[in-house]
Amino acid sequence: MALKAVRGFSDILPSETERWKRIEDQARDVFGRFGFAELRIPLLEKTEVFARSIGEETDIVEKEMYTFPDRGGDSLTLRPEGTASIVRAYIEHKLYVAETVTKVFFIGPMFRYERPQKGRYRQFHQIDVELFGTSNPMSDAEVISVLMHYFAVLNIKNCELHVNSLGCGDCRRPYKEELLRFLRAHASGFCANCQRRMDRNPLRVFDCKVEDCQRMLRDAPLLQTYLCSACTEHFGHVREYLRILGVTSIVNPHMVRGLDYYSRTTFEVLAPGLGAQNAVAAGGRYDQLVESMGGPSVPGIGFAIGMERVLLLLQDPSSPPRSSLFIAALGPSARDKAFTLYCRLNERGIATTMDYEDRSLKAQMRRANKLNSRYVVIVGDDELRKGAAVFRDMKEQSQEELPLATLFEELNRRLAGDCVSA
Ligand code: HAM
């Protein structure tokens, strides 16, 4: 039986890579303009990098990580998200020394053992953007607005930006007590997992997908009413800066992100067109994370964009393969001549294609059409005898003869700049 890819893991085929490159290039351009520098992190980390930061009681750590012992007995994990790895690298390489504010972004695959469905995969890709070194609400507004700008550049409309504040330790302490009182009073109505989680980390009960639990939680106390004055003021400033920047946001007090490291501002970009998996990007502030992972007390904020979900939202179809020039060769001598020409033109950046096998002119012209080639050069025994090749402009529907002796230079002169390699 033929081998297949692992469930939830996909190949990205040549016909799709143009669209992937487009969203990656736009990310490098947009985030680069705002001073975010690209960082590359390893696929594997020690398991504790994620367990300690994301939180032991979260869905990701409890059920979704690809964790295994290596041959030396260390527990390693394929990264389920980027933030924890980036913070590990930020601390390990003391990136905080060179600059007070550090802005980085990362593009790459993540791994979560989730039930695959449209928009949800076991290997998926994120564009992760992080800003370290300030808790000024301006930086919250900056990262959110650069995210929305990225979507605007990709012409992705109909997205809703939901924002919330999860407060700091000071406001969360009394809130957690109140939430726990509520959860205990209704404990019998919650599933076994929620009952287990409520005592250890009551906020994580909100992540439960069971409908009955979600219904009960509609009456749970809201964190927003417990925010301390500093957190209320911070959130107010974030919203005001967003308003000044013209970024529309919806306050969603029910939004509790499924990772433990967040404090204060959290946000999600929802695209209703995506169905059940409608979060196309999400993030928030994590002012204690760097310190809790052994670094200095440096605040941070960031987000990750789900690239597969962005691609589902892009309207343009996958692009056909491109070739600017097709060389149709007829007969072995012409093919040899064409082969050198084909290699030399591609070296010059003129996207050229030819057939390796001897096929009829009709078959070769069909292939040129399929490749959308603007120009075709035809060389056969007749042309070799005459010392001239036929040069066709498919768009203008014109044709002329070009001397074989100077064909390479002539094509170079005519097509350089006009033809860019795919
Ligand atoms: P997250 O909400 O777990 O946050 O994931 C961010 C985005 O990644 C989601 O909104 C979604 O678009 C995409 N995503 C997540 N899981 C899957 C999946 N199984 N299949 C396809 N796409 C998926 C984080 O990962 C945080 N690290 C974000 C962050 C950065 N917070 C601060 N900085």
Side-chain angles (χ1 to χ4, degrees), residues 106-161:
F106 167 74
I107 304 176
M110 305 291 161
F111 305 86
R112 294 184 195 175
Y113 193 81
E114 292 191 87
R115 193 189 294 274
Q117 62 177 89
K118 183 184 161 206
R120 189 166 71 194
Y121 314 98
R122 291 181 174 171
Q123 175 178 323
F124 60 99
H125 297 74
Q126 286 186 340
I127 300 169
D128 190 307
V129 175
E130 310 288 352
L131 185 155
F132 296 96
T134 177
S135 55
N136 192 305
M138 266 185 201
S139 62
D140 303 50
E142 177 187 338
V143 296
I144 294 172
S145 86
V146 74
L147 169 63
M148 298 315 283
H149 179 62
Y150 175 69
F151 286 133
V153 167
L154 290 178
N155 205 17
I156 291 177
K157 296 171 186 140
N158 302 328
C159 284
E160 285 176 2
L161 167 66

Short mmCIF file of all heavy atoms in Angstrom, two decimals, residues 106-161:
data_model
loop_
_atom_site.label_atom_id
_atom_site.label_comp_id
_atom_site.label_asym_id
_atom_site.label_seq_id
_atom_site.Cartn_x
_atom_site.Cartn_y
_atom_site.Cartn_z
N PHE A 106 8.59 35.72 13.73
CA PHE A 106 9.00 34.37 13.38
C PHE A 106 7.93 33.74 12.49
O PHE A 106 6.74 33.93 12.72
CB PHE A 106 9.19 33.54 14.66
CG PHE A 106 9.30 32.08 14.38
CD1 PHE A 106 10.46 31.57 13.83
CD2 PHE A 106 8.24 31.23 14.61
CE1 PHE A 106 10.56 30.22 13.51
CE2 PHE A 106 8.33 29.88 14.30
CZ PHE A 106 9.49 29.38 13.75
N ILE A 107 8.36 32.99 11.49
CA ILE A 107 7.41 32.28 10.63
C ILE A 107 7.78 30.80 10.61
O ILE A 107 8.93 30.47 10.33
CB ILE A 107 7.46 32.82 9.17
CG1 ILE A 107 7.20 34.33 9.14
CG2 ILE A 107 6.46 32.09 8.28
CD1 ILE A 107 7.33 34.98 7.77
N GLY A 108 6.83 29.93 10.92
CA GLY A 108 7.18 28.51 10.87
C GLY A 108 6.07 27.60 11.37
O GLY A 108 5.03 28.06 11.85
N PRO A 109 6.31 26.28 11.26
CA PRO A 109 5.29 25.31 11.66
C PRO A 109 5.20 25.08 13.17
O PRO A 109 6.20 25.21 13.88
CB PRO A 109 5.74 24.02 10.95
CG PRO A 109 7.20 24.18 10.76
CD PRO A 109 7.49 25.64 10.65
N MET A 110 4.01 24.76 13.62
CA MET A 110 3.73 24.43 15.02
C MET A 110 3.02 23.07 15.02
O MET A 110 2.44 22.67 14.00
CB MET A 110 2.78 25.47 15.66
CG MET A 110 3.27 26.89 15.55
SD MET A 110 4.71 27.14 16.57
CE MET A 110 5.37 28.63 15.83
N PHE A 111 2.97 22.42 16.16
CA PHE A 111 2.43 21.05 16.22
C PHE A 111 1.51 20.89 17.42
O PHE A 111 1.93 21.14 18.56
CB PHE A 111 3.58 20.05 16.31
CG PHE A 111 4.57 20.22 15.18
CD1 PHE A 111 5.61 21.14 15.30
CD2 PHE A 111 4.42 19.52 14.00
CE1 PHE A 111 6.51 21.33 14.25
CE2 PHE A 111 5.32 19.70 12.95
CZ PHE A 111 6.36 20.62 13.07
N ARG A 112 0.26 20.53 17.15
CA ARG A 112 -0.67 20.26 18.26
C ARG A 112 -1.50 19.04 17.88
O ARG A 112 -2.04 18.97 16.77
CB ARG A 112 -1.61 21.45 18.50
CG ARG A 112 -0.89 22.69 19.00
CD ARG A 112 -1.86 23.82 19.33
NE ARG A 112 -1.13 25.08 19.46
CZ ARG A 112 -1.69 26.26 19.66
NH1 ARG A 112 -3.00 26.34 19.76
NH2 ARG A 112 -0.95 27.34 19.76
N TYR A 113 -1.63 18.12 18.84
CA TYR A 113 -2.42 16.92 18.59
C TYR A 113 -3.89 17.25 18.83
O TYR A 113 -4.45 16.96 19.87
CB TYR A 113 -1.95 15.79 19.50
CG TYR A 113 -2.50 14.45 19.11
CD1 TYR A 113 -1.91 13.71 18.08
CD2 TYR A 113 -3.61 13.92 19.73
CE1 TYR A 113 -2.42 12.48 17.70
CE2 TYR A 113 -4.13 12.69 19.35
CZ TYR A 113 -3.53 11.98 18.34
OH TYR A 113 -4.03 10.78 17.96
N GLU A 114 -4.50 17.93 17.84
CA GLU A 114 -5.92 18.30 17.93
C GLU A 114 -6.69 17.47 16.91
O GLU A 114 -6.10 16.90 16.00
CB GLU A 114 -6.09 19.78 17.60
CG GLU A 114 -5.49 20.71 18.65
CD GLU A 114 -5.93 22.15 18.41
OE1 GLU A 114 -6.99 22.53 18.91
OE2 GLU A 114 -5.19 22.88 17.74
N ARG A 115 -8.02 17.47 17.04
CA ARG A 115 -8.83 16.73 16.07
C ARG A 115 -8.86 17.53 14.75
O ARG A 115 -9.38 18.65 14.73
CB ARG A 115 -10.25 16.56 16.61
CG ARG A 115 -11.08 15.55 15.84
CD ARG A 115 -12.52 15.61 16.30
NE ARG A 115 -12.63 15.17 17.70
CZ ARG A 115 -12.77 13.90 18.06
NH1 ARG A 115 -12.83 12.98 17.14
NH2 ARG A 115 -12.89 13.59 19.33
N PRO A 116 -8.28 17.00 13.67
CA PRO A 116 -8.22 17.79 12.44
C PRO A 116 -9.60 18.08 11.86
O PRO A 116 -10.50 17.23 11.91
CB PRO A 116 -7.42 16.90 11.48
CG PRO A 116 -6.72 15.92 12.34
CD PRO A 116 -7.61 15.71 13.53
N GLN A 117 -9.79 19.26 11.36
CA GLN A 117 -11.00 19.66 10.64
C GLN A 117 -10.63 20.89 9.82
O GLN A 117 -9.46 21.33 9.87
CB GLN A 117 -12.15 19.98 11.60
CG GLN A 117 -11.88 21.13 12.55
CD GLN A 117 -13.08 21.45 13.43
OE1 GLN A 117 -13.22 20.89 14.49
NE2 GLN A 117 -13.93 22.36 12.99
N LYS A 118 -11.59 21.47 9.08
CA LYS A 118 -11.26 22.64 8.25
C LYS A 118 -10.66 23.75 9.14
O LYS A 118 -11.28 24.15 10.13
CB LYS A 118 -12.53 23.15 7.56
CG LYS A 118 -12.26 24.31 6.63
CD LYS A 118 -13.54 24.86 6.04
CE LYS A 118 -13.31 26.25 5.51
NZ LYS A 118 -14.50 27.07 5.49
N GLY A 119 -9.48 24.21 8.81
CA GLY A 119 -8.85 25.29 9.57
C GLY A 119 -8.13 24.83 10.82
O GLY A 119 -7.55 25.65 11.54
N ARG A 120 -8.17 23.51 11.11
CA ARG A 120 -7.46 23.01 12.30
C ARG A 120 -6.64 21.77 11.92
O ARG A 120 -7.19 20.79 11.43
CB ARG A 120 -8.45 22.66 13.42
CG ARG A 120 -7.73 22.36 14.73
CD ARG A 120 -8.68 22.35 15.89
NE ARG A 120 -9.54 21.18 15.84
CZ ARG A 120 -10.64 21.03 16.58
NH1 ARG A 120 -11.02 21.98 17.41
NH2 ARG A 120 -11.36 19.95 16.48
N TYR A 121 -5.35 21.86 12.11
CA TYR A 121 -4.45 20.80 11.67
C TYR A 121 -3.49 20.45 12.80
O TYR A 121 -3.38 21.17 13.79
CB TYR A 121 -3.67 21.28 10.42
CG TYR A 121 -4.60 21.94 9.43
CD1 TYR A 121 -4.72 23.33 9.37
CD2 TYR A 121 -5.41 21.17 8.60
CE1 TYR A 121 -5.62 23.94 8.52
CE2 TYR A 121 -6.32 21.77 7.73
CZ TYR A 121 -6.42 23.16 7.69
OH TYR A 121 -7.32 23.75 6.85
N ARG A 122 -2.78 19.32 12.62
CA ARG A 122 -1.82 18.93 13.66
C ARG A 122 -0.46 19.56 13.41
O ARG A 122 0.25 19.86 14.35
CB ARG A 122 -1.75 17.40 13.75
CG ARG A 122 -3.06 16.87 14.32
CD ARG A 122 -3.09 15.38 14.48
NE ARG A 122 -4.33 15.00 15.16
CZ ARG A 122 -4.76 13.77 15.30
NH1 ARG A 122 -4.04 12.76 14.82
NH2 ARG A 122 -5.87 13.52 15.94
N GLN A 123 -0.13 19.75 12.15
CA GLN A 123 0.99 20.66 11.83
C GLN A 123 0.37 21.86 11.15
O GLN A 123 -0.32 21.72 10.13
CB GLN A 123 2.02 20.03 10.91
CG GLN A 123 3.09 21.05 10.52
CD GLN A 123 4.20 20.53 9.63
OE1 GLN A 123 4.64 19.41 9.78
NE2 GLN A 123 4.64 21.36 8.71
N PHE A 124 0.55 23.03 11.73
CA PHE A 124 0.03 24.24 11.12
C PHE A 124 1.12 25.30 11.21
O PHE A 124 2.16 25.07 11.83
CB PHE A 124 -1.27 24.70 11.82
CG PHE A 124 -1.08 24.99 13.29
CD1 PHE A 124 -0.93 26.31 13.74
CD2 PHE A 124 -1.06 23.97 14.23
CE1 PHE A 124 -0.74 26.59 15.08
CE2 PHE A 124 -0.86 24.24 15.57
CZ PHE A 124 -0.70 25.55 16.01
N HIS A 125 0.90 26.43 10.57
CA HIS A 125 1.96 27.44 10.50
C HIS A 125 1.50 28.76 11.10
O HIS A 125 0.36 29.16 10.91
CB HIS A 125 2.38 27.65 9.04
CG HIS A 125 2.97 26.42 8.43
ND1 HIS A 125 2.21 25.34 8.07
CD2 HIS A 125 4.26 26.09 8.14
CE1 HIS A 125 2.99 24.39 7.58
NE2 HIS A 125 4.24 24.83 7.61
N GLN A 126 2.40 29.38 11.79
CA GLN A 126 2.08 30.69 12.40
C GLN A 126 3.09 31.74 11.96
O GLN A 126 4.26 31.45 11.72
CB GLN A 126 2.16 30.61 13.93
CG GLN A 126 1.00 29.88 14.59
CD GLN A 126 1.06 29.97 16.12
OE1 GLN A 126 2.10 30.26 16.70
NE2 GLN A 126 -0.07 29.72 16.75
N ILE A 127 2.60 32.98 11.89
CA ILE A 127 3.48 34.14 11.83
C ILE A 127 3.37 34.74 13.23
O ILE A 127 2.28 35.13 13.65
CB ILE A 127 3.02 35.17 10.78
CG1 ILE A 127 3.00 34.54 9.40
CG2 ILE A 127 3.93 36.41 10.81
CD1 ILE A 127 2.31 35.39 8.34
N ASP A 128 4.46 34.73 13.96
CA ASP A 128 4.43 35.12 15.36
C ASP A 128 5.20 36.44 15.53
O ASP A 128 6.33 36.55 15.08
CB ASP A 128 5.10 34.00 16.17
CG ASP A 128 4.90 34.18 17.65
OD1 ASP A 128 5.21 35.27 18.17
OD2 ASP A 128 4.45 33.24 18.29
N VAL A 129 4.57 37.41 16.13
CA VAL A 129 5.17 38.73 16.28
C VAL A 129 5.23 39.08 17.76
O VAL A 129 4.22 38.93 18.46
CB VAL A 129 4.32 39.78 15.50
CG1 VAL A 129 4.84 41.20 15.72
CG2 VAL A 129 4.31 39.45 14.02
N GLU A 130 6.39 39.48 18.26
CA GLU A 130 6.52 39.75 19.70
C GLU A 130 7.27 41.07 19.93
O GLU A 130 8.23 41.38 19.21
CB GLU A 130 7.31 38.62 20.41
CG GLU A 130 6.82 37.21 20.11
CD GLU A 130 5.49 36.82 20.76
OE1 GLU A 130 4.96 37.61 21.58
OE2 GLU A 130 4.96 35.74 20.42
N LEU A 131 6.83 41.81 20.92
CA LEU A 131 7.49 43.07 21.28
C LEU A 131 7.81 43.02 22.78
O LEU A 131 6.91 42.85 23.61
CB LEU A 131 6.56 44.24 20.96
CG LEU A 131 7.08 45.67 21.14
CD1 LEU A 131 6.30 46.63 20.24
CD2 LEU A 131 7.00 46.16 22.57
N PHE A 132 9.09 43.14 23.13
CA PHE A 132 9.52 43.06 24.53
C PHE A 132 10.00 44.42 25.01
O PHE A 132 10.56 45.20 24.25
CB PHE A 132 10.72 42.11 24.67
CG PHE A 132 10.41 40.69 24.33
CD1 PHE A 132 10.68 40.19 23.06
CD2 PHE A 132 9.88 39.84 25.28
CE1 PHE A 132 10.41 38.87 22.75
CE2 PHE A 132 9.61 38.51 24.98
CZ PHE A 132 9.87 38.03 23.71
N GLY A 133 9.82 44.69 26.29
CA GLY A 133 10.53 45.82 26.90
C GLY A 133 9.68 46.99 27.31
O GLY A 133 10.22 47.97 27.84
N THR A 134 8.38 46.97 27.08
CA THR A 134 7.54 48.08 27.53
C THR A 134 6.13 47.57 27.82
O THR A 134 5.65 46.66 27.15
CB THR A 134 7.48 49.23 26.50
OG1 THR A 134 6.58 50.23 26.99
CG2 THR A 134 7.01 48.75 25.14
N SER A 135 5.53 48.19 28.84
CA SER A 135 4.12 47.86 29.08
C SER A 135 3.25 49.07 28.72
O SER A 135 2.07 49.13 29.05
CB SER A 135 3.90 47.46 30.54
OG SER A 135 4.37 48.49 31.38
N ASN A 136 3.87 50.05 28.04
CA ASN A 136 3.12 51.24 27.63
C ASN A 136 1.96 50.82 26.71
O ASN A 136 2.17 50.07 25.75
CB ASN A 136 4.05 52.20 26.89
CG ASN A 136 3.41 53.55 26.70
OD1 ASN A 136 2.32 53.65 26.15
ND2 ASN A 136 4.08 54.58 27.17
N PRO A 137 0.73 51.30 27.01
CA PRO A 137 -0.42 50.91 26.17
C PRO A 137 -0.25 51.26 24.70
O PRO A 137 -0.91 50.68 23.83
CB PRO A 137 -1.60 51.66 26.79
CG PRO A 137 -1.02 52.64 27.74
CD PRO A 137 0.35 52.15 28.13
N MET A 138 0.67 52.20 24.40
CA MET A 138 0.96 52.51 22.99
C MET A 138 1.44 51.26 22.27
O MET A 138 1.13 51.04 21.10
CB MET A 138 2.09 53.53 22.91
CG MET A 138 1.66 54.94 22.81
SD MET A 138 3.15 55.91 22.58
CE MET A 138 2.50 57.47 23.11
N SER A 139 2.25 50.44 22.97
CA SER A 139 2.80 49.25 22.31
C SER A 139 1.69 48.22 22.07
O SER A 139 1.73 47.48 21.07
CB SER A 139 3.96 48.64 23.11
OG SER A 139 3.51 48.22 24.38
N ASP A 140 0.69 48.17 22.94
CA ASP A 140 -0.45 47.27 22.70
C ASP A 140 -1.15 47.70 21.42
O ASP A 140 -1.45 46.89 20.54
CB ASP A 140 -1.47 47.33 23.85
CG ASP A 140 -0.86 47.01 25.21
OD1 ASP A 140 0.18 47.59 25.55
OD2 ASP A 140 -1.45 46.20 25.94
N ALA A 141 -1.40 49.03 21.34
CA ALA A 141 -2.11 49.55 20.16
C ALA A 141 -1.26 49.35 18.91
O ALA A 141 -1.79 49.05 17.84
CB ALA A 141 -2.43 51.03 20.37
N GLU A 142 0.06 49.50 19.05
CA GLU A 142 0.94 49.33 17.89
C GLU A 142 0.86 47.90 17.34
O GLU A 142 0.65 47.70 16.14
CB GLU A 142 2.39 49.65 18.25
CG GLU A 142 3.34 49.41 17.09
CD GLU A 142 4.82 49.57 17.45
OE1 GLU A 142 5.11 50.25 18.45
OE2 GLU A 142 5.66 49.00 16.74
N VAL A 143 1.02 46.89 18.22
CA VAL A 143 1.02 45.52 17.69
C VAL A 143 -0.35 45.15 17.12
O VAL A 143 -0.44 44.46 16.10
CB VAL A 143 1.49 44.43 18.70
CG1 VAL A 143 2.94 44.62 19.11
CG2 VAL A 143 0.63 44.34 19.89
N ILE A 144 -1.42 45.64 17.76
CA ILE A 144 -2.76 45.31 17.23
C ILE A 144 -2.96 46.00 15.88
O ILE A 144 -3.46 45.39 14.93
CB ILE A 144 -3.86 45.71 18.24
CG1 ILE A 144 -3.75 44.85 19.50
CG2 ILE A 144 -5.25 45.56 17.61
CD1 ILE A 144 -4.66 45.27 20.65
N SER A 145 -2.51 47.26 15.79
CA SER A 145 -2.78 47.96 14.53
C SER A 145 -1.89 47.43 13.40
O SER A 145 -2.33 47.37 12.25
CB SER A 145 -2.65 49.47 14.69
OG SER A 145 -1.33 49.87 14.52
N VAL A 146 -0.68 46.98 13.72
CA VAL A 146 0.16 46.42 12.65
C VAL A 146 -0.44 45.09 12.17
O VAL A 146 -0.41 44.76 10.98
CB VAL A 146 1.65 46.30 13.07
CG1 VAL A 146 1.91 45.17 14.03
CG2 VAL A 146 2.55 46.09 11.86
N LEU A 147 -1.05 44.36 13.09
CA LEU A 147 -1.73 43.11 12.71
C LEU A 147 -2.90 43.41 11.76
O LEU A 147 -3.05 42.77 10.71
CB LEU A 147 -2.23 42.40 13.98
CG LEU A 147 -3.20 41.23 13.79
CD1 LEU A 147 -2.53 40.08 13.03
CD2 LEU A 147 -3.70 40.72 15.14
N MET A 148 -3.71 44.42 12.12
CA MET A 148 -4.86 44.75 11.28
C MET A 148 -4.40 45.31 9.93
O MET A 148 -5.03 45.09 8.90
CB MET A 148 -5.79 45.75 12.00
CG MET A 148 -6.39 45.21 13.29
SD MET A 148 -7.02 43.52 13.21
CE MET A 148 -8.57 43.75 12.36
N HIS A 149 -3.26 46.04 9.97
CA HIS A 149 -2.71 46.57 8.72
C HIS A 149 -2.29 45.43 7.79
O HIS A 149 -2.51 45.47 6.58
CB HIS A 149 -1.53 47.49 9.03
CG HIS A 149 -0.89 48.06 7.80
ND1 HIS A 149 -1.57 48.89 6.93
CD2 HIS A 149 0.34 47.90 7.27
CE1 HIS A 149 -0.76 49.20 5.93
NE2 HIS A 149 0.40 48.61 6.11
N TYR A 150 -1.70 44.40 8.39
CA TYR A 150 -1.27 43.23 7.60
C TYR A 150 -2.48 42.61 6.87
O TYR A 150 -2.43 42.31 5.68
CB TYR A 150 -0.60 42.21 8.52
CG TYR A 150 -0.23 40.92 7.83
CD1 TYR A 150 0.78 40.88 6.87
CD2 TYR A 150 -0.89 39.73 8.14
CE1 TYR A 150 1.12 39.70 6.23
CE2 TYR A 150 -0.56 38.54 7.51
CZ TYR A 150 0.45 38.53 6.55
OH TYR A 150 0.76 37.35 5.93
N PHE A 151 -3.59 42.48 7.61
CA PHE A 151 -4.79 41.92 6.97
C PHE A 151 -5.30 42.86 5.86
O PHE A 151 -5.74 42.39 4.81
CB PHE A 151 -5.89 41.66 8.00
CG PHE A 151 -5.60 40.45 8.86
CD1 PHE A 151 -5.74 40.50 10.24
CD2 PHE A 151 -5.16 39.26 8.29
CE1 PHE A 151 -5.46 39.39 11.03
CE2 PHE A 151 -4.88 38.15 9.07
CZ PHE A 151 -5.03 38.21 10.44
N ALA A 152 -5.20 44.17 6.11
CA ALA A 152 -5.66 45.13 5.09
C ALA A 152 -4.80 45.01 3.84
O ALA A 152 -5.32 45.02 2.72
CB ALA A 152 -5.61 46.55 5.65
N VAL A 153 -3.48 44.87 4.01
CA VAL A 153 -2.58 44.73 2.87
C VAL A 153 -2.93 43.48 2.06
O VAL A 153 -2.87 43.47 0.84
CB VAL A 153 -1.10 44.70 3.35
CG1 VAL A 153 -0.16 44.26 2.24
CG2 VAL A 153 -0.67 46.07 3.87
N LEU A 154 -3.33 42.42 2.75
CA LEU A 154 -3.71 41.18 2.05
C LEU A 154 -5.13 41.25 1.51
O LEU A 154 -5.64 40.28 0.95
CB LEU A 154 -3.60 39.98 2.99
CG LEU A 154 -2.20 39.54 3.41
CD1 LEU A 154 -2.28 38.37 4.38
CD2 LEU A 154 -1.36 39.13 2.21
N ASN A 155 -5.76 42.41 1.74
CA ASN A 155 -7.14 42.61 1.27
C ASN A 155 -8.12 41.64 1.94
O ASN A 155 -9.08 41.19 1.32
CB ASN A 155 -7.18 42.48 -0.26
CG ASN A 155 -8.34 43.25 -0.84
OD1 ASN A 155 -8.91 44.13 -0.16
ND2 ASN A 155 -8.72 42.92 -2.05
N ILE A 156 -7.84 41.31 3.19
CA ILE A 156 -8.75 40.45 3.94
C ILE A 156 -9.68 41.36 4.73
O ILE A 156 -9.25 42.14 5.57
CB ILE A 156 -7.96 39.51 4.88
CG1 ILE A 156 -7.22 38.48 4.03
CG2 ILE A 156 -8.89 38.82 5.88
CD1 ILE A 156 -6.36 37.53 4.81
N LYS A 157 -10.96 41.26 4.37
CA LYS A 157 -11.94 42.14 5.02
C LYS A 157 -12.86 41.28 5.89
O LYS A 157 -12.64 40.09 6.05
CB LYS A 157 -12.73 42.89 3.97
CG LYS A 157 -11.84 43.81 3.15
CD LYS A 157 -12.59 44.39 1.97
CE LYS A 157 -11.62 45.18 1.11
NZ LYS A 157 -11.88 44.98 -0.29
N ASN A 158 -13.87 41.91 6.45
CA ASN A 158 -14.86 41.20 7.26
C ASN A 158 -14.27 40.45 8.44
O ASN A 158 -14.68 39.35 8.78
CB ASN A 158 -15.66 40.19 6.42
CG ASN A 158 -16.36 40.87 5.27
OD1 ASN A 158 -16.75 42.03 5.41
ND2 ASN A 158 -16.47 40.20 4.16
N CYS A 159 -13.24 41.02 9.04
CA CYS A 159 -12.69 40.42 10.26
C CYS A 159 -13.11 41.28 11.43
O CYS A 159 -13.21 42.50 11.31
CB CYS A 159 -11.17 40.43 10.23
SG CYS A 159 -10.50 39.21 9.16
N GLU A 160 -13.35 40.65 12.57
CA GLU A 160 -13.68 41.41 13.77
C GLU A 160 -12.52 41.31 14.74
O GLU A 160 -11.99 40.22 14.99
CB GLU A 160 -14.91 40.79 14.46
CG GLU A 160 -16.19 41.09 13.76
CD GLU A 160 -17.35 40.36 14.43
OE1 GLU A 160 -17.15 39.66 15.44
OE2 GLU A 160 -18.46 40.52 13.92
N LEU A 161 -12.17 42.46 15.31
CA LEU A 161 -11.11 42.46 16.32
C LEU A 161 -11.78 42.48 17.70
O LEU A 161 -12.50 43.41 18.03
CB LEU A 161 -10.23 43.71 16.14
CG LEU A 161 -9.28 44.03 17.28
CD1 LEU A 161 -8.20 42.96 17.43
CD2 LEU A 161 -8.64 45.41 17.08
#
